[in-house]
């Protein structure tokens, strides 16, 4: 595509036929969420800076370098949402008592100013849920089982669910202290940005993909060793319950998350086919301060672009654009207006129907019928109109038959 027509770097137009896969994924999601008792929430894509600043964590990569910050004409600091949890929690906090046990889902665009690469976009789309609840292993498990059901219904197999616990808020103080003291002897081996992490966000060191730090990370004690017994039992309960539901998970005691609001259960779902950006979903239990309210909940978000990559759906595009409906071919002005009436009648029966509104050759109209992915073509030119007949062609087997128009219409 020539530069003049390209969208911004890291952003994409989603058009036919790819958009059919998006519609299919969204359709399945609405159904599954409804079955689990979640209702849809649509929050604005732009929020006040504060909504994200404190909840995601001042030292998180998103806040430090990935947020799209804007200023409106009144000089207010605004942000294009980098994720859906903070906005959803802002809304849920406004409900007061009613928010308890409320379960919402969202589908929509998110924005992060990252270096674009395969599977990493600046505008991407998430399907996510948030369920307000105090720590409760059953609720975490229901959330993961909902996600598992979505993957199943989307037809994604071979994904891996990795799970861990970050402990309670009180445990996190001990974890931080424990890790900092264990890392002290390596301080001089750390680059300045890792020394910064050591000070501000030591958990993120466990997440490092850099080869040179792997030995150090492997030497560190598991964060479970700095946690209370209750928190370890909480994780064991979650894993046992998932096992009861036949949901396979891998416990990975190095798993941490890129956002600061998490405590207790955290998880990530990866898929081998995705290369370096292999995470299709992330989730966990969290505590977020929204205004004066402290909100606890559990949720997840899945990247739609990565779900589509994992499905490798370009191969299956025809499954998403199954032939259906009619394409009407006219020849001459009289048949054109009569066929417009016919097409409207067909559409009023909730049947898909398309037609050419210019005088075009039969060949070109058949090409359009194919692109429209119609099941049948209705041929009614001025000549057929004057004879009161219609020719119907089945585009699957190419069979063509002539009918009395009024008789045929009754069969619609
Ligand atoms: P997250 O791990 O930052 O979590 O993002 C969730 C998913 O969004 C990722 O696993 C990935 O599939 C997708 N994603 C993230 N960044 C990009 C990108 N630049 N390009 C394409 N896809 C991307 C959250 O956002 C949390 N709010 C999840 C959550 C909800 N936790 C609790 N509730």
């Amino acid at each position: 595509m020539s530069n003049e027509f390209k969208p911004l770097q890291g952003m994409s137009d989603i058009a036919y036929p790819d958009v059919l896969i998006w519609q299919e994924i969204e359709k399945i999601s609405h159904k599954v969420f409804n079955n689990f008792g979640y209702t849809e929430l649509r929050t604005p894509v732009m929020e006040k800076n504060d909504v994200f600043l404190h909840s995601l964590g001042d030292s998180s990569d998103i806040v430090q370098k990935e947020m799209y910050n804007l200023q409106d004409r009144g000089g207010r600091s605004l942000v294009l949402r980098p994720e859906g949890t903070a906005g959803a929690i802002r809304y849920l906090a406004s409900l007061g008592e009613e928010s308890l046990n409320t379960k919402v889902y969202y589908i929509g665009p998110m924005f992060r100013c990252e270096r674009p690469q395969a599977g990493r976009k600046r505008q991407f789309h998430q399907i996510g849920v948030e369920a307000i609840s105090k720590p409760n292993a059953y609720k975490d498990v229901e959330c993961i089982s909902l996600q598992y059901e979505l993957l199943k219904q989307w037809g994604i197999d071979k994904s891996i669910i990795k799970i861990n616990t970050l402990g309670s808020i009180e445990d996190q103080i001990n974890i931080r202290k424990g890790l900092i003291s264990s890392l002290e002897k390596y301080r001089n081996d750390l680059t300045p940005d890792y020394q910064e992490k050591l000070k501000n966000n030591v958990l993120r060191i466990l997440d490092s993909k850099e080869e040179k730090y792997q030995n150090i990370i492997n030497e560190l004690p598991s964060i479970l060793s700095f946690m209370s017994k209750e928190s370890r039992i909480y994780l064991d309960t979650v894993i046992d319950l998932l096992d009861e539901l036949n949901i396979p998970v891998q416990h990975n005691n190095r798993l941490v998350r890129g956002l600061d609001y998490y405590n207790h259960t955290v998880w990530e779902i990866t898929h081998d086919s995705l290369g370096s950006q292999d995470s299709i979903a992330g989730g966990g239990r969290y505590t977020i301060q929204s205004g004066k309210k402290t909100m606890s909940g559990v949720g997840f978000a899945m990247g739609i672009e990565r779900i589509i990559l994992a499905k490798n759906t370009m191969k299956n595009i025809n499954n998403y654009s199954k032939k259906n409906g009619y394409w009407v071919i006219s020849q001459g002005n009289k048949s054109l207006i009569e066929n417009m009436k016919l097409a409207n009648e067909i559409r009023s029966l909730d049947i898909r129907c398309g037609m050419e509104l210019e005088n075009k050759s039969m060949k070109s109209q058949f090409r359009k019928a194919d692109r429209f992915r119609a099941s049948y073509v209705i041929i009614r030119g001025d000549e057929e109109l004057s004879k009161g007949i219609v020719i119907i062609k089945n585009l699957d087997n190419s069979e063509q038959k002539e009918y009395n128009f009024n008789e045929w219409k009754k069969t619609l």
Side-chain angles (χ1 to χ4, degrees), residues 13-243:
D13 300 307
I14 304 159
Y16 183 86
D18 301 6
V19 77
L20 297 173
I21 300 165
W22 287 71
Q23 289 174 351
E24 182 70 12
I25 286 176
E26 289 167 12
K27 197 168 101 193
I28 293 173
S29 311
H30 288 296
K31 187 187 74 185
V32 173
F33 289 138
N34 183 48
N35 291 348
F36 274 77
Y38 282 71
T39 56
E40 188 177 4
L41 173 64
R42 301 184 189 197
T43 60
V45 291
M46 214 189 298
E47 299 264 7
K48 282 188 214 147
N49 209 356
D50 292 350
V51 171
F52 300 103
L53 217 55
H54 304 304
S55 50
L56 310 195
D58 298 351
S59 61
S60 66
D61 280 354
I62 296 188
V63 170
Q64 287 277 311
K65 38 187 196 206
E66 294 168 4
M67 285 208 302
Y68 278 97
N69 295 296
L70 317 163
Q71 221 174 44
D72 72 3
R73 285 168 184 264
R76 285 168 282 259
S77 292
L78 306 174
V79 169
L80 284 179
R81 63 180 185 193
E83 56 99 61
T85 311
I89 293 299
R90 174 196 51 67
Y91 164 75
L92 292 166
S94 76
L95 299 181
E97 284 292 296
E98 251 179 74
S99 72
L100 267 180
N101 301 319
T102 305
K103 305 196 281 190
V104 296
Y105 73 91
Y106 47 86
I107 301 178
M110 308 292 159
F111 304 85
R112 294 185 194 174
C113 195
E114 298 187 78
R115 200 165 44 81
Q117 63 179 87
R120 196 207 273 156
K121 315 273 302 176
R122 289 183 170 169
Q123 176 176 333
F124 59 100
H125 299 76
Q126 284 186 343
I127 294 182
V129 306
E130 312 299 342
I132 297 301
S133 80
K134 296 260 174 308
N136 174 333
Y138 288 88
K139 298 208 173 177
D140 301 3
V141 168
E142 189 197 59
C143 203
I144 296 173
S145 102
L146 159 59
Q147 210 169 4
Y148 194 65
E149 182 62 24
L150 280 171
L151 290 169
K152 214 161 68 187
Q153 298 221 14
W154 288 329
I156 298 180
D157 47 14
K158 302 203 184 96
S159 53
I160 299 168
I161 307 177
K162 295 171 188 156
I163 196 167
N164 196 18
T165 174
L166 300 181
S168 66
I169 296 177
E170 299 75 47
D171 288 334
Q172 290 186 348
I173 299 166
N174 292 333
I175 294 172
R176 217 168 292 131
K177 273 193 205 148
L179 284 178
I180 290 173
S181 85
S182 309
L183 277 160
E184 201 47 56
K185 59 180 174 213
Y186 304 110
R187 182 180 283 274
N188 294 335
D189 302 329
L190 302 177
T191 51
D193 54 328
Y194 273 74
Q195 295 198 7
E196 192 68 24
K197 281 187 196 193
L198 186 59
K199 201 163 83 196
N200 295 327
N201 200 342
V202 64
L203 271 180
R204 292 310 309 268
I205 293 183
L206 299 184
D207 206 18
S208 168
K209 302 259 179 328
E210 287 188 44
E211 198 54 46
K212 60 177 185 247
Y213 293 134
Q214 296 314 307
N215 283 342
I216 298 181
I217 293 169
N218 288 335
E219 291 293 314
L220 291 175
S222 157
I223 58 170
L224 294 176
S225 64
F226 303 119
M227 258 177 229
S228 62
K229 196 169 154 209
E230 289 75 21
S231 293
R232 291 198 304 264
I233 293 176
Y234 189 119
L235 176 69
D236 289 343
T237 313
V238 169
I239 294 176
D240 287 347
L241 292 172
L242 287 166
D243 189 45

Side-chain angles (χ1 to χ4, degrees), residues 56 62 66 82-86 106 110 112 114 117 119-126 128-130 257-259 261-262 267-269 274 277-286 297-307:
L56 310 195
I62 296 188
E66 294 168 4
E83 56 99 61
T85 311
Y106 47 86
M110 308 292 159
R112 294 185 194 174
E114 298 187 78
Q117 63 179 87
R120 196 207 273 156
K121 315 273 302 176
R122 289 183 170 169
Q123 176 176 333
F124 59 100
H125 299 76
Q126 284 186 343
V129 306
E130 312 299 342
R257 303 271 302 128
L259 303 157
Y261 48 56
Y262 292 104
W267 66 90
E268 227 162 68
I269 303 186
L274 296 189
Q277 301 302 315
D278 65 352
S279 158
I280 48 178
R285 174 161 282 289
Y286 50 81
V298 59
F300 64 75
M302 319 179 78
I304 305 186
E305 285 80 0
R306 296 191 191 169
I307 290 163

